Amino acid sequence: MENVRIAVVDDEKADSDLISGYISRYAREKGEDFFVAQYFTAATAAVNCRNGYDIIFMDVELPDGNGIDVIKKIREKNKDVIVVFVTNMAQFAVRGYEVRALDYVVKPVSYFNFAAKFTEALETFRMRSDEYIWISNKDGKIRLSAASIVYVEVFQHMLVYHTTEGDYKASGSLLSAQEALKNRSFSPCNRCYLVNLRYVTKVQGLTATVGGKQLQISTRSRSSFMRDLNDYLAGGGGG
């Protein structure tokens, strides 16, 4: 599965840790893996959650602001982020329609209630992001989820699609793969690799860590690759 990025925003550390713990428990039970970050103020959330997150669990009442107002600011950059409000008082969360919130949960949050809301959020996210492409080889055609493709490699005059579900060989050129995946978060880091920027976890010098693999960045491609990565992180790309 794709690495869904989740932010938990709550000024009460105990409540934040509870939600984060529920996410970890859900991941263990479902055999999934999520990236989770915690923020404790409206100010830090407004800055850090504007880009790069797929789901936000947002406390309505924060010491330095209102969670609904924070989401309004986040929506200026990230229109598609899925929001679930967490609150002591349900009547405040009902205002979530103003910022297209998916749902809300009332404190104290039980795991059963959380898991139901989280499942709905994940299904909504995957429905939006699960676009497919078709690839061809000597055995026929294969449909791949674009979000599952970690990177595409040119190998022995063939393309290898390295995905979260396994590797798939196909005919074609890197240029044809790039065309099939245009308007998505892919960028070439050299003449042999087309990278899904969602899976980039580190760039150091001329090496990019992508889905746990170290890929070489060519000197010629580094500038455009870093520009694409920065645009993605700034909300310019999607999975």
Side-chain angles (χ1 to χ4, degrees):
M1 291 288 185
E2 65 275 25
N3 188 16
V4 182
R5 295 174 60 85
I6 303 165
V8 179
V9 183
D10 199 308
D11 62 304
E12 295 290 341
K13 190 174 188 305
D15 291 340
S16 180
D17 288 345
L18 181 69
I19 295 295
S20 299
Y22 283 168
I23 295 170
S24 297
R25 175 179 169 182
Y26 187 100
R28 290 193 303 272
E29 291 178 354
K30 304 294 185 180
E32 301 211 45
D33 184 28
F34 306 116
F35 173 87
V36 181
Q38 294 172 278
Y39 301 100
F40 300 97
T41 66
T44 56
V47 172
N48 292 286
C49 296
R50 293 181 75 188
N51 310 300
Y53 288 99
D54 305 307
I55 300 172
I56 300 176
F57 287 93
M58 172 66 72
D59 190 11
V60 173
E61 298 171 282
L62 295 163
D64 61 334
N66 179 287
I68 293 172
D69 293 333
V70 174
I71 294 299
K72 286 180 180 178
K73 292 179 182 177
I74 291 171
R75 285 268 186 244
E76 293 173 3
K77 277 284 187 178
N78 190 344
K79 297 185 184 303
D80 295 324
V81 66
I82 294 164
V83 178
V84 178
F85 282 112
V86 183
T87 181
N88 288 309
M89 304 182 72
Q91 61 264 39
F92 290 120
V94 173
R95 286 187 55 211
Y97 73 88
E98 298 176 16
V99 289
R100 297 185 293 112
L102 177 71
D103 211 331
Y104 65 91
V105 289
V106 178
K107 298 179 182 180
V109 182
S110 71
Y111 179 71
F112 178 81
N113 193 24
F114 168 83
K117 308 290 187 181
F118 190 31
T119 297
E120 183 183 6
L122 289 171
E123 288 175 350
T124 301
F125 166 71
R126 285 166 178 155
M127 192 183 305
R128 292 177 183 175
S129 64
D130 200 19
E131 299 174 44
Y132 294 90
I133 66 167
W134 286 90
I135 63 173
S136 302
N137 57 29
K138 59 183 177 60
D139 297 320
K141 288 183 175 291
I142 302 170
R143 191 180 74 161
L144 296 181
S145 161
S148 76
I149 299 169
V150 181
Y151 65 96
V152 185
E153 176 184 10
V154 177
F155 182 72
Q156 295 181 345
H157 307 292
M158 294 284 290
L159 293 177
V160 180
Y161 287 78
H162 298 274
T163 80
T164 55
E165 309 299 327
D167 297 342
Y168 299 89
K169 291 184 178 180
S171 55
S173 65
L174 201 65
L175 191 62
S176 66
Q178 196 169 352
E179 177 64 22
L181 292 164
K182 69 179 180 180
N183 301 323
R184 299 183 177 97
S185 56
F186 286 81
S187 180
C189 66
N190 64 32
R191 291 186 297 176
C192 296
Y193 298 117
L194 179 65
V195 170
N196 188 340
L197 299 172
R198 168 177 288 275
Y199 295 95
V200 177
T201 55
K202 183 179 181 181
V203 176
Q204 187 170 20
L206 293 176
T207 302
T209 302
V210 184
K213 301 286 186 180
Q214 291 190 330
L215 305 182
Q216 191 73 22
I217 306 171
S218 69
T219 304
R220 172 179 289 185
S221 299
R222 191 178 194 282
S223 177
S224 59
F225 180 76
M226 292 306 300
R227 182 176 63 247
D228 290 344
L229 180 60
N230 288 333
D231 287 346
Y232 173 77
L233 295 175

